[in-house]
Amino acid sequence: MVVIEGPSRGSIIDLGSTVVRIGRLPENELVLASPSVSKHHAVVEPRAGSHLIRDLGSTNGVLVNGGKVAGAGGQTLVHGDAISIGDSLLLYRRGGAAVDKQGLSTISLDVAKVREEAERLLRDVPVERLRKP
């Protein structure tokens, strides 16, 4: 799992076969140091070749691909899922996966290089095109 936005941007955690707690406190395996993240916000657990994410009763919830994770049963993650926790955005990457849930090819991304390329492209766009009508 890779943190691609938020205070812990660039952090990578190997989920493997262990339970990973996510939250604001340093006792969590993945610390997202932000007031928008609960002390013990979520947990990711290994499940049948994938992982399951559960919200631990957080204030702001957990979103996977824009949909709220509801109930104690949690939600199974699929390679390429975008997970929103507070003001952080995480990307779920299952080791060895070459396709996402729609069968589309995926590539490994260097977040810094992607951001640099996006900024370069935006510099070439006239300001008028960036403004809302």
Side-chain angles (χ1 to χ4, degrees):
M1 186 176 306
V2 181
V3 181
I4 58 175
E5 291 294 332
S8 298
R9 183 174 51 136
S11 296
I12 300 172
I13 189 156
D14 182 10
L15 297 174
S17 61
T18 61
V19 173
V20 174
R21 296 168 299 155
I22 304 170
R24 191 174 69 233
L25 293 181
E27 63 199 43
N28 292 290
E29 285 77 22
L30 178 56
V31 177
L32 302 175
S34 169
S36 66
V37 176
S38 295
K39 294 174 184 176
H40 300 103
H41 201 105
V43 65
V44 178
E45 304 167 345
R47 285 287 191 277
S50 185
H51 291 86
L52 178 89
I53 189 164
R54 289 187 302 113
D55 186 335
L56 296 176
S58 67
T59 301
N60 293 319
V62 175
L63 302 177
V64 175
N65 300 323
K68 188 169 185 167
V69 173
Q75 181 170 332
T76 300
L77 296 171
V78 177
H79 181 74
D81 278 347
I83 303 160
S84 297
I85 296 179
D87 57 358
S88 293
L89 180 63
L90 297 83
L91 178 65
Y92 175 71
R93 306 227 6 119
R94 197 176 93 223
V99 296
D100 66 10
K101 62 185 165 194
Q102 290 142 355
L104 300 173
S105 175
T106 61
I107 58 172
S108 294
L109 299 176
D110 179 329
V111 176
K113 287 183 180 180
V114 170
R115 184 178 305 282
E116 181 180 296
E117 179 68 10
E119 288 171 357
R120 186 188 65 73
L121 290 170
L122 287 173
R123 279 194 302 266
D124 296 339
V125 176
V127 174
E128 298 79 40
R129 291 189 66 197
L130 296 175
R131 292 190 181 124
K132 292 183 179 179

